[in-house]
Amino acid sequence: MTAISLRDVRKSYGGLEVISDVDLDIETGEFVVFVGPSGCGKSTLLRMIAGLEGINAGELLIDGKFANDVPPARRGIAMVFQSYALYPHMNVFENLAFSLKIAHVGKPEIERRVQAAADMLQLTPYLKRRPRQLSGGQRQRVAIGRAIVREAKVFLFDEPLSNLDAALRVATRIEIARLKERLADTTMVYVTHDQVEAMTLADRIVVLNAGRIEQVGRPVDLYDNPRNLFVAGFIGSPAMNFLPATLTFENGSTRIERNGKPLVTTGFTSGGRAGVQNGTLGVRPEHLDLASPEAALFSGTVDLVEHLGEVTIAYMRLDDGTPMLAKFDRTRELEKGEILHLKAEPSDLHCFDADGMALPRR
Amino acid sequence: MAQDTVEAVITGKQATRDATAASRRGEAWAALVFLTPWILGIVLLTALPMIGSFVLSFSNYDLLSAPRWVGTANYERLLFSDPRYLKSLEVTTVYVLVSVPLAVAVALIIAVTLSEATRSANFFRGVYYLPSLLGGSVAIGVLWRQIFGSSGLVNISLSGLGFQTTSWIGDPRYALWTLIILNVWQFGAPMVIFLAGVRQIPKEVVEATIMDGANPVQRFFRITLPLLSPLILFNLVMQTITAFQAFVPAYVVSDGSGGPIDSTLFYTLYLYLEGFRNFRMGYAMSMAWVLLVIIAVFTALSFYASRFWVHYES
């Protein structure tokens, strides 16, 4: 069943359109992550679902019902804010109980629900403490607890981990993943600019750019089959290498040349295109491996080497001046100025036309 | 060689210590030079007059002849045998207890209403602040007489509507209330402080209350009010101190008499009349010291009570 539907949704401030023609269905119990660069509209879209921002055009359906004008509190939605947004003058219990008191829920029921949420989030020892007496991670748990006690059908998370330090971020991320397992029927929509959070938490990722959806899909699908250059460059770390290439479309297939030399990269269809285009060849740094000069797809000089322990990253410059990153397993003894010859499996190559759209494979 | 190095290091450290000490001495002198005008000001214009007035409050002093030591007679008279003094205390207490909470409440309500940053809100902020700029002046006192006098604006309006009129400032039942209204009307300064406070409430906290289903009234009482409580305390204390010392409006409206029938005889007005009309300086000074104690007790009580209702962020 569809929990949330967005149909041709738009939002603009004055003449500036920040959300354009967004169409999206989120299924009940799904964990959907909105990801994109700063200013792409992901938080705005989340706030439109919450009801904190109005919708200029299009429809928002919650459980199949038109919800554009439904007040935030009546949408069955709870929100976890980036800054936690706890009530500083109330203790943890009062913070958790606030929405229930407002809704005139009976005292025994309030205590039952608060206690259940506190147990789930290991907050019981802190119920009498004020927010200022809690650590960042504990505060974030209270913010999540506030959503749990409301027994909302949909949880919205607006960059909930970005105020935490690196170690706590990982720990809280795991807690959120566990929480999702326990609340299997709860739909969760999560905004982040951190693609690791997106890849690890999401059932589906929605990649946004300049107010538009670039691609929606399972994390692994976005990684393996990015729809366009933006998604290819955004998903994956370090980012995919892009190299200029000449594409010739003939008889439904694509021939790729770099610097006048043909590349043996069978498998890309023309997708109905014809003629010759200046396109882009994409290859992820982790898909490159050392090769003999004869078998090499790319050759270049090492500019800089980063040894990260489990991997080594080489920053290279190809013969035609194009920068390229290569990521090798474990430590490799590479030196600045060294010439590397690299290969990649043909199935790991990506090809984009002049408009930046990925070419389909056979 | 090693010995030389050690000595060089020691000598170097000694030189650094000397230079640091010299620079600290220099800084101390500079500080003293800059502070001197203010230290002199505090000693000559505040501390010495205060000590002088405290000493003179135990004397009879008419400005013309030398003060005569009378011990605690002034204080005894104040507290036990001067009905006019007790009347002035009563008038001032009513004035403070009614006008200060009202002014602070009005300031808070207007500030919350005007907290949205719209163009009209900016305009009204300026308009509402204006009375505070003019409020303490003689001109406003005169204006108040015109408004609440027997042929003033209020009466013209009332008679136009068919109501019975009275001289509001001439009637001892109402005269003090016109001054209370004047004080409430000057809510601009606390309003500006509340406005700054309302802006400090994080937007996400307000949004969290919206998501939690709180309506604007619940939001005001459960979130805005507690979060502004330190500023409410501040404004109450500051307004109380100012109101206890109110002088000009009562002086102007009552022509310096505190009338009708002492109904606007503010504490400081009676103090002024005793000191500068009746030349009982010693007595006036004892009144000033009692006022200081009253204000100190009020302030201390406010701070003591604040622990039960003021929320501090840190």
Side-chain angles (χ1 to χ4, degrees):
Chain A
M1 188 180 164
T2 307
I4 296 168
S5 287
L6 297 158
R7 303 249 178 277
D8 292 329
V9 164
R10 283 165 188 249
K11 172 80 186 171
S12 52
Y13 296 107
L16 181 70
E17 192 158 81
V18 291
I19 296 291
S20 315
D21 298 328
V22 166
D23 258 308
L24 181 68
D25 284 332
I26 298 171
E27 301 303 319
T28 302
E30 203 178 11
F31 198 124
V32 170
V33 175
F34 293 170
V35 71
S38 296
C40 71
K42 53 191 187 297
S43 281
T44 306
L45 193 57
L46 191 81
R47 292 166 58 80
M48 287 160 76
I49 296 173
L52 295 171
E53 297 282 350
I55 297 171
N56 292 134
E59 289 183 351
L60 165 70
L61 306 177
I62 296 174
D63 280 340
K65 288 179 201 135
F66 181 75
N68 284 35
D69 304 320
V70 176
R74 300 223 185 111
R75 294 186 179 199
I77 283 176
M79 185 148 169
V80 177
F81 292 89
Q82 182 176 355
S83 65
Y84 325 127
L86 301 182
Y87 308 129
H89 56 297
M90 297 182 193
N91 64 28
V92 171
F93 183 96
E94 290 162 339
N95 263 282
L96 295 174
F98 184 75
S99 62
L100 304 178
K101 279 187 187 159
I102 292 289
H104 302 295
V105 174
K107 208 173 168 193
E109 177 64 7
I110 290 179
E111 279 179 7
R112 186 192 68 74
R113 286 208 219 169
V114 169
Q115 197 55 55
D119 288 344
M120 192 186 287
L121 298 164
Q122 291 117 46
L123 284 170
T124 308
Y126 312 111
L127 284 174
K128 293 283 166 228
R129 290 202 193 166
R130 293 269 171 92
R132 66 168 183 270
Q133 297 166 309
L134 302 176
S135 70
Q138 288 163 345
R139 286 179 207 185
Q140 192 52 274
R141 293 214 297 272
V142 178
I144 294 169
R146 244 177 6 189
I148 292 173
V149 294
R150 284 186 55 195
E151 296 181 351
K153 288 173 285 182
V154 179
F155 285 11
L156 306 179
F157 294 88
D158 189 5
E159 307 215 24
L161 307 186
S162 56
N163 282 5
L164 303 178
D165 63 47
L168 208 48
R169 204 176 306 162
V170 174
T172 313
R173 195 178 74 208
I174 293 164
E175 278 182 33
I176 290 175
R178 289 202 181 118
L179 181 72
K180 179 68 194 89
E181 278 180 16
R182 262 180 279 177
L183 304 172
D185 295 334
T186 307
T187 309
M188 296 191 179
V189 186
Y190 189 105
V191 162
T192 181
H193 61 267
D194 180 344
Q195 55 166 297
V196 178
E197 281 173 36
M199 297 294 280
T200 52
L201 289 171
D203 293 325
R204 277 194 306 158
I205 293 178
V206 178
V207 182
L208 286 149
N209 180 33
R212 289 177 189 279
I213 293 181
E214 295 282 356
Q215 191 171 359
V216 182
R218 294 186 309 141
V220 68
D221 289 340
L222 297 192
Y223 180 83
D224 287 340
N225 299 304
R227 203 169 72 92
N228 56 31
L229 271 175
F230 180 83
V231 178
F234 193 81
I235 299 288
S237 178
M240 185 185 281
N241 293 297
F242 293 127
L243 306 111
T246 308
L247 312 179
T248 309
F249 303 111
E250 276 176 349
N251 306 323
S253 63
T254 306
R255 205 171 70 234
I256 305 171
E257 286 177 21
R258 270 193 32 84
N259 305 324
K261 288 184 215 156
L263 287 183
V264 188
T265 52
T266 53
F268 291 108
T269 66
S270 68
R273 296 168 185 81
V276 179
Q277 282 188 5
N278 289 323
T280 306
L281 189 66
V283 58
R284 296 195 182 279
E286 56 272 31
H287 291 156
L288 291 166
D289 205 355
L290 294 176
S292 63
E294 301 77 40
L297 270 176
F298 316 101
S299 296
T301 313
V302 175
D303 273 345
L304 183 78
V305 183
E306 282 181 348
H307 297 288
L308 303 179
E310 86 277 24
V311 293
T312 302
I313 296 173
Y315 292 77
M316 302 164 55
R317 199 157 286 280
L318 301 187
D319 301 340
D320 62 350
T322 312
M324 179 175 251
L325 258 75
K327 186 171 164 186
F328 304 111
D329 286 344
R330 309 181 77 98
T331 303
R332 292 261 178 141
E333 291 304 323
L334 300 172
E335 280 182 21
K336 189 179 172 184
E338 190 176 341
I339 292 173
L340 293 186
H341 304 286
L342 301 170
K343 64 177 181 184
E345 292 296 323
S347 60
D348 286 332
L349 293 176
H350 302 263
C351 194
F352 304 91
D353 69 9
D355 296 326
M357 299 305 292
L359 295 185
R361 289 175 183 278
R362 264 183 227 289
Chain B
M1 178 69 190
Q3 185 65 32
D4 288 352
T5 315
V6 170
E7 275 173 18
V9 168
I10 291 170
T11 318
K13 276 186 181 166
Q14 186 59 46
T16 314
R17 264 202 293 273
D18 289 348
T20 311
S23 121
R24 279 203 190 130
R25 271 196 299 277
E27 280 179 17
W29 271 110
L32 199 62
V33 168
F34 281 108
L35 285 172
T36 299
W38 280 269
I39 292 171
L40 283 177
I42 285 170
V43 171
L44 297 178
L45 302 176
T46 306
L48 285 179
M50 274 183 78
I51 294 166
S53 85
F54 186 66
V55 173
L56 287 171
S57 74
F58 295 97
S59 72
N60 270 350
Y61 179 43
D62 62 5
L63 289 174
L64 302 171
S65 47
R68 192 164 48 82
W69 181 262
V70 293
T72 56
N74 285 334
Y75 290 96
E76 284 163 26
R77 185 181 152 211
L78 265 186
L79 300 175
F80 304 115
S81 55
D82 184 354
R84 258 199 118 189
Y85 171 76
L86 294 178
K87 176 70 183 173
S88 78
L89 200 58
E90 178 200 323
V91 166
T92 309
T93 306
V94 171
Y95 176 76
V96 169
L97 290 183
V98 177
S99 75
V100 169
L102 268 178
V104 171
V106 170
L108 179 63
I109 290 164
I110 302 279
V112 171
T113 313
L114 293 181
S115 61
E116 296 294 323
T118 60
R119 206 171 287 178
S120 61
N122 274 333
F123 169 75
F124 281 110
R125 262 173 242 159
V127 168
Y128 287 132
Y129 188 66
L130 254 173
S132 294
L133 292 176
L134 308 168
S137 69
V138 173
I140 288 298
V142 173
L143 174 72
W144 227 242
R145 281 174 64 167
Q146 299 303 319
I147 290 175
F148 288 100
S150 41
S151 54
L153 198 64
V154 172
N155 277 349
I156 292 170
S157 310
L158 283 177
S159 63
L161 294 168
F163 289 102
Q164 211 174 0
T165 63
T166 179
S167 171
W168 302 97
I169 55 170
D171 188 327
R173 285 174 300 170
Y174 306 124
L176 176 61
W177 294 95
T178 64
L179 296 181
I180 287 173
I181 292 170
L182 174 61
N183 195 39
V184 174
W185 184 57
Q186 297 159 32
F187 59 81
M191 179 193 76
V192 168
I193 292 167
F194 282 136
L195 268 172
V198 174
R199 295 278 179 88
Q200 293 278 312
I201 297 176
K203 188 171 149 244
E204 287 198 338
V205 168
V206 176
E207 288 177 346
T209 63
I210 294 172
M211 295 301 296
D212 277 344
N215 63 35
V217 175
Q218 289 168 323
R219 218 176 299 149
F220 176 78
F221 282 106
R222 300 200 181 209
I223 304 295
T224 311
L225 213 52
L227 293 186
L228 289 181
S229 57
L231 294 183
I232 295 173
L233 173 68
F234 173 79
N235 277 327
L236 279 175
V237 169
M238 296 308 287
Q239 293 291 312
T240 302
I241 292 171
T242 313
F244 265 119
Q245 299 174 48
F247 174 78
V248 173
Y251 184 88
V252 174
V253 167
S254 70
D255 270 337
S257 69
I261 324 177
D262 287 348
S263 60
T264 60
L265 186 66
F266 280 7
Y267 196 107
T268 49
L269 181 57
Y270 185 47
L271 187 156
Y272 165 82
L273 293 176
E274 283 296 294
F276 292 94
R277 291 261 171 92
N278 303 330
F279 297 109
R280 287 198 278 261
M281 269 304 160
Y283 190 55
M285 285 172 196
S286 66
M287 284 175 69
W289 276 95
V290 172
L291 179 61
L292 183 72
V293 171
I294 290 171
I295 290 176
V297 168
F298 249 88
T299 308
L301 282 177
S302 303
F303 276 100
Y304 177 78
S306 75
R307 70 178 66 178
F308 302 109
W309 63 274
V310 173
H311 158 77
Y312 287 104
E313 194 82 4
S314 53

